[in-house]
Amino acid sequence: TEVDRQLPTFQAAATNLAMTVTVFKPSFDATTTAIVGTADALASGGVTRQWATNASASSEYSNPDWSALQASGGPNTFECADRVTAWASATQTGYDTLRLDYNSAVIPLGVNIHQNYFPGSVVKVEVVDLIGTLYTVYEAAAAPVPQCPYIQIIPISSVTEKVNAVIITLDQSVIGQWNESDAGELGGKQQ
């Protein structure tokens, strides 16, 4: 039958897909593994996980390619490469911000930033509550990250207000290359 003739093709495609996922799956060193473990809290019951529905930035390399809106929605850039499907700032050595907005306000438990090109320039992450108050949930010096693509996982335990936006600040002057961001996930509780 036609299905029997196509079965080897479907099996080969499934095998290739599985191999593709394995190839592009980010790897983490021992110091990052402990941080990855905290992301499991986002998978527990009662946690809302969401991708940004809108994005804006202090600068963009171009529009629509590399625009801030490329960082909205779920990840779609799975390799370590310069891709039009991720946000890039106007210059590779700039100090820039990316704002991600979400449909549902949540008491935040974590932010996952998907970076696909020269990760390591994120120096500050803030969450924004419903009246516009900013809460800093991460600050660090810029430093190259050996893993690429890279999911920067930022656990949050200090904010008790509902938030519906995340502001990511990059200092690209240290690495001197574009730190492209493909997506940002916000996880939290409704109550």
Side-chain angles (χ1 to χ4, degrees), residues 13-176:
T15 301
N16 287 340
L17 178 60
M19 288 172 48
T20 301
V21 171
T22 302
V23 169
F24 296 128
K25 185 171 139 184
S27 61
F28 300 94
D29 62 20
T31 58
T32 310
T33 303
I35 297 172
V36 171
T38 61
D40 292 342
L42 296 183
S44 65
V47 175
T48 298
R49 298 179 74 149
Q50 57 187 322
W51 302 106
T53 55
N54 194 28
S56 57
S58 58
S59 74
E60 299 174 328
Y61 184 75
S62 66
N63 193 331
D65 295 342
W66 291 289
S67 71
L69 284 177
Q70 296 295 341
S72 63
N76 62 352
T77 309
F78 300 106
E79 64 276 353
C80 181
D82 177 24
R83 294 286 184 254
V84 299
T85 53
W87 168 69
S89 62
T91 68
Q92 64 188 21
T93 58
Y95 190 86
D96 291 280
T97 59
L98 172 66
R99 179 186 170 114
L100 303 172
D101 295 296
Y102 300 85
N103 278 341
S104 297
V106 294
I107 298 169
L109 295 175
V111 173
N112 299 331
I113 305 167
H114 292 248
Q115 300 168 57
N116 61 285
Y117 199 53
F118 288 100
S121 293
V122 174
V123 294
K124 183 165 39 170
V125 176
E126 300 164 292
V127 292
V128 185
D129 73 12
L130 301 177
I131 60 170
T133 304
L134 302 175
Y135 301 88
T136 300
V137 295
Y138 174 85
E139 282 189 297
V145 173
Q147 298 86 17
C148 186
Y150 178 65
I151 302 172
Q152 186 167 1
I153 297 171
I154 300 166
I156 302 171
S157 60
S158 59
V159 180
T160 58
E161 299 296 320
K162 285 190 170 186
V163 303
N164 63 353
V166 173
I167 299 174
I168 301 164
T169 302
L170 304 177
D171 180 359
Q172 298 170 110
S173 66
V174 174
I175 297 173

